[in-house]
Amino acid sequence: MSLNKPHLKVHNVQDVQKENVQNMAILETLQILSELLWFFIKLIYYWAECLYLKICPLPPVSVEGEIVLITGTGHGIGRELAKIYSSKGATVVGWDINKQTNEETIKEINESGGRPKAYSFQCDITDRESVLATAKEVRARVGDVTILINNAGIMPCHPLDQHTPNEIETIIKVNLLAHFWLIEAFLPSMKRNNHGHIVSMSSMAGMIGFPNLVPYCASKYAVRGYMEALHEELRLGNPNNKIELTSICPYMVDTGLCKRPKIKFERLMALLSPKDVAEQILKAQTTRQKEITLPGYLASLTLFGRMLPNNASLDLKDTFEAFVESDL
Ligand SMILES: NC(=O)c1ccc[n+]([C@@H]2O[C@H](COP(=O)([O-])OP(=O)(O)OC[C@H]3O[C@@H](n4cnc5c(N)ncnc54)[C@H](O)[C@@H]3O)[C@@H](O)[C@H]2O)c1
């Protein structure tokens, strides 16, 4: 009899442990269920809120008095952004690798009168040291940048096996890595003041893969990826975070960047005007959108395409054929 006792004790301990594990599992299941229930209650509220905001949108915030740094202000969308932000009362700081065209943009703004003085800086944004040094100069001469628009980009366009290694590296450096150096330079003061907005140019080529644009698509998909991750880092890092992020995904814009566009329905899918795009970017930034496509309906069309069987999705792409032919 006495020999059985220790065995019984061990058996009891095992039973208790098993019971504890079962209790923990029940508690965890109850916790998941209650959190899911709470999530669905909030979901109804968020949907109602979305619907309400569609009917009565929030007024855009003013950019008057903000210091907006835009890269690539020497041409295209960047030039239009500089003009429109300045016309709304923001102090524009334009950066471009091309000193002459950049100075032309800033001169045009400064000569149009009644606007805050605009500033031009020559900077190759792929050079981290140069970005950090130019940022220091901006802080000393102009002040803390409160809106950063990562706009400058390049788009060599040909089949992957005809891209040189150097070209692939440069695409990634201009379209992606440079954003990190600019964020390194300007996010700290935004965090200190808990005020700021970062806008980054992705593209429809950051949502859909296109031929002749393999490295470009990689860079633009990556922009959306780091913007979403940074958004999470800021949101979870400070429950009171007031720094906003916006990614912009335009279809082809008439700036000359797309050298040989090939569009099946030219009237339905005409190239966008850089001025309209700049206006939509301002609107997205001042109404605190997280990500937009231009035109807006392309977001739903892309989502719809992703839900279809692969072959149907490819058919849809072929139906609305719009891409760029090789520039070689
Ligand atoms: N044009 C389009 O069809 C289109 C479509 C979707 C997205 N985008 C994106 O919009 C942005 C602007 O495009 P865009 O059409 O106005 O281009 P653009 O070629 O008209 O202007 C780009 C500007 O960036 C500058 N730049 C290039 N490399 C630089 C560097 N290393 N350092 C500093 N400045 C540099 C150029 O000098 C130029 O002034 C890009 O990021 C582009 O990828 C353009």
Side-chain angles (χ1 to χ4, degrees):
M1 283 286 276
S2 60
L3 273 175
N4 282 339
K5 269 186 182 169
H7 174 71
L8 258 182
K9 206 172 169 192
V10 168
H11 185 71
N12 281 343
V13 168
Q14 279 174 346
D15 278 354
V16 169
Q17 278 175 346
K18 209 171 151 193
E19 207 171 298
N20 277 346
V21 169
Q22 277 170 350
N23 285 343
M24 291 290 284
I26 292 169
L27 271 177
E28 214 168 82
T29 311
L30 283 175
Q31 191 186 350
I32 292 171
L33 287 176
S34 66
E35 289 201 13
L36 276 177
L37 182 67
W38 181 224
F39 166 76
F40 282 112
I41 292 169
K42 285 194 293 183
L43 182 62
I44 294 167
Y45 168 78
Y46 293 140
W47 268 332
E49 187 186 42
C50 271
L51 191 66
Y52 174 77
L53 289 175
K54 277 261 177 271
I55 301 162
C56 315
L58 287 176
V61 292
S62 166
V63 294
E64 208 174 325
E66 304 287 348
I67 299 180
V68 54
L69 188 143
I70 306 163
T71 62
T73 35
H75 196 260
I77 302 168
R79 175 170 280 188
E80 295 302 328
L81 280 170
K83 291 197 267 183
I84 196 168
Y85 268 91
S86 173
S87 75
K88 301 289 177 195
T91 297
V92 167
V93 180
W95 282 21
D96 206 291
I97 195 170
N98 188 326
K99 189 169 190 284
Q100 193 197 325
T101 57
N102 195 27
E103 283 178 352
E104 279 166 18
T105 306
I106 301 304
K107 189 163 169 252
E108 192 184 325
I109 292 174
N110 286 335
E111 283 178 352
S112 56
R115 298 175 178 197
K117 182 175 168 6
Y119 299 81
S120 72
F121 290 82
Q122 184 184 22
C123 182
D124 175 356
I125 56 166
T126 63
D127 178 351
R128 178 173 171 271
E129 294 306 319
S130 174
V131 167
L132 299 181
T134 317
K136 214 169 155 190
E137 219 183 313
V138 169
R139 256 189 305 278
R141 278 181 57 197
V142 191
D144 279 339
V145 166
T146 53
I147 303 173
L148 165 65
I149 307 189
N150 283 311
N151 165 73
I154 55 168
M155 197 183 85
C157 181
H158 26 267
L160 182 60
D161 55 9
Q162 290 174 44
H163 274 84
T164 63
N166 188 34
E167 200 171 44
I168 294 172
E169 247 180 56
T170 312
I171 294 170
I172 301 298
K173 277 183 178 171
V174 181
N175 294 359
L176 176 65
L177 282 181
H179 294 206
F180 286 94
W181 316 147
L182 279 134
I183 287 170
E184 179 184 351
F186 297 112
L187 184 58
S189 64
M190 293 186 187
K191 276 187 172 172
R192 248 190 332 272
N193 303 321
N194 198 17
H195 171 74
H197 203 130
I198 300 173
V199 178
S200 290
M201 288 301 277
S202 177
S203 167
M204 278 316 293
M207 296 190 125
I208 299 172
F210 290 100
N212 296 319
L213 289 176
V214 177
Y216 181 82
C217 284
S219 71
K220 294 298 183 182
Y221 265 81
V223 167
R224 293 181 55 231
Y226 89 71
M227 286 290 275
E228 188 170 334
L230 182 59
H231 182 273
E232 283 308 279
E233 207 166 284
L234 293 172
R235 183 176 76 89
L236 299 174
N238 175 4
N240 192 31
N241 171 55
K242 296 273 188 306
I243 301 167
E244 304 281 346
L245 301 188
T246 302
S247 304
I248 311 286
C249 304
Y251 166 70
M252 287 184 262
V253 189
D254 194 8
T255 63
L257 190 78
C258 299
K259 290 189 190 69
R260 300 184 60 205
K262 187 166 187 294
I263 303 164
K264 193 161 157 189
F265 302 112
E266 286 195 14
R267 230 166 312 173
L268 182 72
M269 302 188 69
L271 297 192
L272 306 174
S273 105
K275 189 161 180 271
D276 289 347
V277 168
E279 272 167 13
Q280 291 303 317
I281 293 172
L282 174 83
K283 188 173 168 208
Q285 185 260 309
T286 54
T287 56
R288 287 147 276 157
Q289 307 286 315
K290 197 163 162 257
E291 181 171 270
I292 60 154
T293 62
L294 295 171
Y297 71 82
L298 286 180
S300 316
L301 197 61
T302 311
L303 188 66
F304 175 64
R306 291 215 182 284
M307 291 189 309
L308 297 176
N310 191 37
N311 284 340
S313 171
L314 295 176
D315 273 359
L316 188 69
K317 248 183 174 181
D318 294 344
T319 306
F320 294 97
E321 188 183 59
F323 64 95
V324 265
E325 286 186 307
S326 171
D327 53 13
L328 292 180

